[in-house]
Amino acid sequence: MNIALVTCESLAQYAAPNIDDEDSLLTRHLRAQGHHVEPRIWSNPAVDWLAYDVVVLKSPWDYFDRVPEFYAWLDRMEQQQVPLLNPVATVRWNANKQYLLDMERQGVRIVPTHWLPRGAAFQPRALFAALGTDRLVVKPAISGGAKNTFNLTPADADTRTPELTELLRAEDFLAQPFLPEIQTQGEWSLVYLGGAYSHCVLKTPKSGDFRVQHYLGGGIQPQQPPTHLRRTADDIVQRFAQNCLYARVDGVEVAGEFLLMELELIEPFLYLDTAPDSFARYEAALRVGRV
């Protein structure tokens, strides 16, 4: 196949010295299987996307900094009927974290979430009371890489209220209770390729932090997920990630139950080098997805 791997202008800020570049590893594997693979920047207007058999969203990690431009690009992909994986409609839905509330309405247990619409004033006391917590996590509705993500005590919240009210003038945010289980147990990431379970890692923040991203010092440990967590993640993928080349289900176990934090369908790091044969499973799923 002639494959475009969709990326962004710079991946440097998301690199970590102890983690191999997944784009390069995947490109090397696919080329070894006889495929023609080219990295292509999604925002480059000169790219002829119809020249490829399949266009794979891999690392467009700046889309949340260029939201109107990204949505316009998705519209063009749809209008031109570019064979994009994951599908345009799914990507458009998944780009805004309001999808979590959609999933909750359909019975998925998510981390309790309070919506903060654009233009609202940030009112921390009401949020602490509504969510029954003494620590808040506040982040944009369209975001990634822990951008503009706050972990707030009541004292912190009072100090940061003007800043957050200003940020709310530009976009929607959401607020969630901080879950201490992220620090004491870690965050589960279950990876699916072609709709089938592939592998799992447990991510832990560095000491004193709450963010688990590897480029922020978080740890990554391959793990077999407990059966009840796997069962929940399987159901989520079957219901909400149909026809997807890949999906990553991120969540935390609280009182024996899996609470969804994110369903990553746009540009997740897939930890392919942590599991035997995961690159082969990716390539097999890609062949099926193209048919």
Side-chain angles (χ1 to χ4, degrees), residues 6-291:
V6 180
T7 186
C8 59
E9 293 177 357
S10 175
L11 302 179
Q13 64 180 312
Y14 302 105
N18 61 325
I19 302 294
D20 289 326
D21 175 21
E22 187 169 89
D23 286 29
S24 296
L25 293 175
L26 180 60
T27 297
R28 190 179 311 142
H29 175 82
L30 292 174
R31 286 175 176 169
Q33 306 311 306
H35 301 292
H36 179 75
V37 183
E38 295 180 325
R40 286 291 177 257
I41 296 171
W42 70 268
S43 55
N44 181 356
V47 177
D48 179 9
W49 299 105
L50 287 171
Y52 297 94
D53 298 319
V54 65
V55 177
V56 177
L57 281 167
K58 183 62 184 74
S59 50
W61 289 338
D62 61 353
Y63 81 89
F64 47 81
D65 293 321
R66 310 165 73 164
V67 175
E69 187 180 354
F70 184 68
Y71 280 157
W73 180 76
L74 289 176
D75 290 343
R76 289 195 297 275
M77 297 297 101
E78 190 170 54
Q79 291 161 6
Q80 297 173 17
Q81 298 184 331
V82 172
L84 184 70
L85 295 176
N86 288 338
V88 169
T90 300
V91 170
R92 192 182 286 118
W93 171 77
N94 192 238
N96 190 312
K97 290 181 176 59
Q98 191 158 8
Y99 77 82
L100 289 169
L101 303 181
D102 293 340
M103 294 177 72
E104 183 181 37
R105 284 190 287 268
Q106 297 182 61
V108 176
R109 290 295 307 277
I110 68 171
V111 175
T113 299
H114 191 90
W115 197 256
L116 306 177
R118 177 181 177 180
F122 183 64
Q123 298 178 317
R125 295 181 188 276
L127 290 171
F128 282 112
L131 292 168
T133 185
D134 58 3
R135 288 178 71 181
L136 284 176
V137 175
V138 182
K139 53 189 172 184
I142 303 177
S143 68
K147 175 189 175 182
N148 286 340
T149 297
F150 300 82
N151 180 14
L152 304 171
T153 65
D156 297 330
D158 287 340
T159 301
R160 307 300 286 268
T161 290
E163 179 183 1
L164 278 158
T165 295
E166 182 64 25
L167 288 170
L168 274 163
R169 294 180 62 184
E171 58 184 325
D172 296 343
F173 272 67
L174 54 88
Q176 299 172 323
F178 173 79
L179 300 177
E181 289 85 355
I182 292 175
Q183 291 181 319
T184 59
Q185 301 176 27
E187 177 184 319
W188 295 93
S189 283
L190 292 84
V191 177
Y192 291 75
L193 300 173
Y197 172 78
S198 174
H199 56 280
C200 176
V201 299
L202 185 64
K203 300 179 295 188
T204 53
K206 68 180 181 181
S207 179
D209 206 337
F210 69 102
R211 300 165 299 178
V212 298
Q213 288 85 353
H214 61 272
Y215 49 85
L216 298 175
I220 299 167
Q221 182 65 42
Q223 292 276 4
Q224 285 298 323
T227 301
H228 62 290
L229 302 188
R230 164 74 186 276
R231 188 183 302 118
T232 300
D234 286 353
D235 177 68
I236 287 171
V237 171
Q238 289 168 12
R239 295 170 59 195
F240 298 98
Q242 294 185 6
N243 302 316
C244 286
L245 170 63
Y246 55 80
R248 199 183 81 198
V249 183
D250 293 347
V252 61
E253 184 178 12
V254 177
E257 186 170 20
F258 186 85
L259 298 186
L260 180 69
M261 299 184 70
E262 296 275 3
L263 174 59
E264 297 276 11
L265 302 175
I266 301 177
E267 33 61 81
F269 199 87
L270 296 174
Y271 310 106
L272 294 172
D273 63 341
T274 68
D277 301 321
S278 61
F279 288 96
R281 288 192 291 273
Y282 190 106
E283 196 256 350
L286 184 56
R287 287 183 182 274
V288 173
R290 179 63 188 94
V291 174

